[in-house]
Amino acid sequence: MSSKPENLTLITDDGLRLDGRRADEIRPMKIEIGVLSRADGSCYLEWGRNKILVGVFGPREAHPRRSQRADSAVIRYRYNMASFSVEDRARPGPSRRSIEISKVSREAFEPVIMAEMFPKTAIDIFVEVLQADAGTRTAAINASSVALADAGIPMKGLITSCAFGKVDGQIVLDLNKEEDNYGEADFPVAMTQDGEITLVQMDGNLTPEEIKKGLELVKKGCKEILAIQQAVLRKKFETPVEEVSEEPAGEKEAVTEEEPVLAAPEAAVIVGEALEAAEELGPEMLEEVVEAEVLASEVIPDFEEEPEEDIEEGLETEEEEALEEEALEEEAEPEEDLEEDLEEDLGEELEEEELEEEEFEEETLEEEAEFEASFEAAPELKEFDEIEARLERETASEEAEEEMELEAEELSEEEPEEEEAEIEETAASEEETVEPEAEAEPEVEVEETSTEAEEAEEEPEEEKSEGPWKVVKDPSEAGTRGEKDE
Ligand code: UDP
């Protein structure tokens, strides 16, 4: 409690508070149950701007051993305010306030928790204030009550908690932060479902009439809170007995219907084999198998098509059966006949294929002929041919003219060429007179290369290198050479 600013009014003339509530109204509350998977019981509670998380563990073996009680369980309650839960950062760890709140809250539960059922054990209640906006201890008690029930801790009843206070001289229910800070009194209360008070605290000054009035408001508030707690717990635990018995049965039926479907292929094969066997045995057996097939079709949707035909066949008259037997006998021919038939069939098929190929070739030839004829008949193409022929004639005449011109040019240049030819001839005659052996020798070699090639290979290399005259074996040839030399 701190001194209120002069111009601050917490309750308007209309009797409304800063958050719009009337004096006897509590802040909106929301409860979730079983939010922590590792706790035996848990609860998350929002009450106005308060946000509280509670986890319950136990009954479990109490440690250290000296903390155990031989006749009952030990209830441990730890209230902790997160450092980020308030405007000014709260100092982490236990404080005088948190120890006090933990003690009074534990004592608020002791009358209802049936601790004597669990000697030497501990029931741990961990409270974490995530966001604080006045009334956190009462909010934590309400959340802890639900978490204890969620953990299955035997209790005589739920504990509910609410505070009343004095604001602007009026008794109001469930103070918020501004009312708690600038109000004249804060009076938190916890009580059982029967209205027995298990926690009372007071901060401020109140008259006995104000306390009486305030307690009436708190009872009203606790009833409302109890209704919310019970609704949450009912939602989780209260399941009609009939529904419990029906649901599993329905599930079982569904399972029994689905399981055979999983084995449908196998079942289909089995029933199919049974139908084949029944056909051989007669109509009486078929009737039994039909029943089995009907059962199978109920659980095997895809199995209905093929067996239906078999069933119809099985229900035909004896005459039809006799006809079928004949047909079956015809079908059951010896293997040799079957092979012959197959060969014949294959031969026929091959012949047909050959004929088809011949027909196809004839057709293609005819088509090609028609295609060419269509070109011949086309007038445009004839015109093209005439143009081509004319062009060829023109090009031929041009070439002839060019040749004529070239010949004329050659004739004009003949005289100097003749002179050059005469000069060459005189030079050649001079060479013959000066070096007659040099010309004669190669001629002889050319004549002999083809006839005496092998002999030349056998001859030693020295003889080859001695000179061309040694190659000449006929003396008459040597005489001619001599004649030339002369
Ligand atoms: N508060 C705070 N810092 C603290 C303790 C409390 O800001 O260290 C605020 C917080 O919002 C708390 C309110 O003061 O809800 C009133 O505190 P009180 O001790 O009356 O306990 P509560 O009403 O929360 O049970």
Side-chain angles (χ1 to χ4, degrees):
M1 301 284 167
S2 56
S3 57
K4 189 182 81 165
E6 288 181 3
N7 56 353
L8 180 67
T9 52
L10 297 169
I11 299 174
T12 61
D13 296 337
D14 299 334
L16 295 174
R17 298 148 72 178
L18 288 175
D19 54 9
R21 287 182 292 155
R22 296 200 172 277
D24 61 344
E25 287 179 355
I26 61 168
R27 289 171 286 184
M29 184 179 283
K30 180 183 133 187
I31 297 175
E32 283 182 52
I33 193 168
V35 292
L36 302 174
S37 59
R38 293 193 184 88
D40 295 313
S42 59
C43 177
Y44 172 73
L45 181 143
E46 287 182 6
W47 194 6
R49 284 179 285 188
N50 289 312
K51 295 185 178 179
I52 314 292
L53 184 64
V54 176
V56 171
F57 298 82
R60 58 183 180 181
E61 191 176 356
H63 290 287
R65 277 178 169 269
R66 64 173 181 276
S67 67
Q68 291 179 356
R69 288 180 61 175
D71 57 345
S72 72
V74 177
I75 299 164
R76 297 187 292 208
Y77 192 106
R78 196 202 71 172
Y79 169 98
N80 183 60
M81 184 174 266
S83 58
F84 53 82
S85 65
V86 291
E87 214 171 291
D88 300 322
R89 180 178 175 273
R91 191 176 176 181
S95 63
R96 286 171 65 89
R97 178 178 170 273
S98 68
I99 292 165
E100 171 224 320
I101 292 172
S102 296
K103 179 185 178 290
V104 296
S105 299
R106 172 176 55 79
E107 290 172 346
F109 279 99
E110 280 177 347
V112 293
I113 293 173
M114 300 167 79
E116 64 279 3
M117 293 176 68
F118 309 101
K120 299 182 180 177
T121 64
I123 297 167
D124 289 302
I125 304 159
F126 295 98
V127 173
E128 294 292 327
V129 178
L130 305 175
Q131 189 170 290
D133 193 60
T136 54
R137 74 192 69 194
T138 52
I141 288 166
N142 291 326
S144 298
S145 188
V146 174
L148 283 163
D150 184 36
I153 305 294
M155 292 190 292
K156 292 171 185 168
L158 293 170
I159 295 290
T160 53
S161 180
C162 191
F164 76 90
K166 189 177 177 183
V167 177
D168 286 353
Q170 292 188 35
I171 301 298
V172 293
L173 186 65
D174 184 24
L175 304 180
N176 61 29
K177 183 72 168 52
E178 290 78 17
E179 292 168 343
D180 185 279
N181 282 358
Y182 306 117
E184 293 116 58
D186 180 19
F187 199 104
V189 177
M191 63 178 69
T192 65
Q193 288 180 214
D194 301 330
E196 291 180 10
I197 292 172
T198 61
L199 179 145
V200 170
Q201 290 185 296
M202 190 176 76
D203 181 15
N205 296 312
L206 291 166
T207 62
E209 289 75 25
E210 287 172 339
I211 292 170
K212 199 181 275 183
K213 190 181 176 183
L215 284 173
E216 291 299 318
L217 286 176
V218 162
K219 278 185 183 175
K220 178 185 172 288
C222 283
K223 271 189 181 178
E224 292 173 12
I225 293 163
L226 179 67
I228 297 165
Q229 289 172 317
Q230 287 174 335
V232 172
L233 291 166
R234 279 202 191 97
K235 194 177 176 183
K236 178 168 183 184
F237 293 109
E238 194 178 74
T239 311
V241 179
E242 291 177 1
E243 287 180 21
V244 171
S245 61
E246 282 177 5
E247 281 181 5
E251 285 174 10
K252 279 179 186 173
E253 284 175 12
V255 170
T256 49
E257 285 178 4
E258 286 173 11
E259 278 177 351
V261 175
L262 292 171
E266 293 167 12
V269 170
I270 291 161
V271 179
E273 287 172 1
L275 281 164
E276 284 175 11
E279 275 179 6
E280 292 174 8
L281 291 168
E284 291 176 0
M285 277 297 294
L286 262 172
E287 285 178 6
E288 290 178 10
V289 177
V290 166
E291 288 177 10
E293 190 276 337
V294 169
L295 287 168
S297 66
E298 287 174 359
V299 294
I300 309 164
D302 297 332
F303 183 66
E304 287 181 1
E305 293 178 3
E306 290 183 5
E308 268 185 3
E309 292 171 8
D310 296 338
I311 295 158
E312 285 170 7
E313 284 173 11
L315 294 171
E316 284 168 356
T317 57
E318 288 180 3
E319 289 177 4
E320 286 173 341
E321 280 176 16
L323 287 167
E324 280 178 8
E325 280 174 10
E326 284 177 11
L328 286 166
E329 283 171 7
E330 284 175 7
E331 284 177 8
E333 287 176 349
E335 289 183 1
E336 289 176 6
D337 295 342
L338 283 169
E339 284 176 6
E340 284 175 8
D341 290 343
L342 282 167
E343 284 173 5
E344 285 175 7
D345 291 341
L346 284 167
E348 286 174 4
E349 283 177 6
L350 286 166
E351 284 175 6
E352 284 175 5
E353 284 177 5
E354 285 173 4
L355 285 167
E356 283 175 1
E357 283 178 8
E358 284 174 6
E359 286 175 4
F360 180 74
E361 283 174 6
E362 285 175 5
E363 284 175 4
T364 49
L365 286 167
E366 285 174 5
E367 284 174 2
E368 283 174 7
E370 285 176 7
F371 185 70
E372 286 172 4
S374 67
F375 275 96
E376 286 170 5
E380 295 88 356
L381 290 169
K382 282 182 179 177
E383 285 176 9
F384 280 123
D385 291 340
E386 287 171 3
I387 292 159
E388 276 182 9
R390 197 174 66 223
L391 284 167
E392 279 176 9
R393 283 197 298 274
E394 286 173 5
T395 49
S397 61
E398 284 173 4
E399 283 172 3
E401 284 175 7
E402 284 176 2
E403 280 176 7
M404 290 288 284
E405 285 175 4
L406 284 167
E407 282 173 6
E409 287 175 3
E410 283 171 3
L411 285 168
S412 62
E413 292 172 357
E414 266 182 4
E415 289 178 0
E417 282 178 1
E418 282 176 0
E419 287 174 0
E420 285 175 5
E422 284 176 2
I423 293 158
E424 284 176 2
E425 281 177 6
T426 51
S429 61
E430 284 174 1
E431 284 175 1
E432 280 179 1
T433 52
V434 174
E435 294 177 356
E437 288 180 358
E439 272 194 0
E441 283 166 5
E443 285 177 3
V444 175
E445 276 184 359
V446 171
E447 286 173 2
E448 288 177 355
T449 47
S450 60
T451 53
E452 296 176 5
E454 291 176 5
E455 290 176 9
E457 283 177 3
E458 287 175 6
E459 283 174 8
E461 290 181 6
E462 290 175 3
E463 288 181 4
K464 282 183 182 176
S465 62
E466 278 176 10
W469 53 87
K470 280 202 173 181
V471 178
V472 179
K473 290 178 180 177
D474 193 354
S476 62
E477 286 181 13
T480 53
R481 194 187 298 130
E483 284 174 7
K484 280 183 181 178
D485 290 341
E486 288 174 0

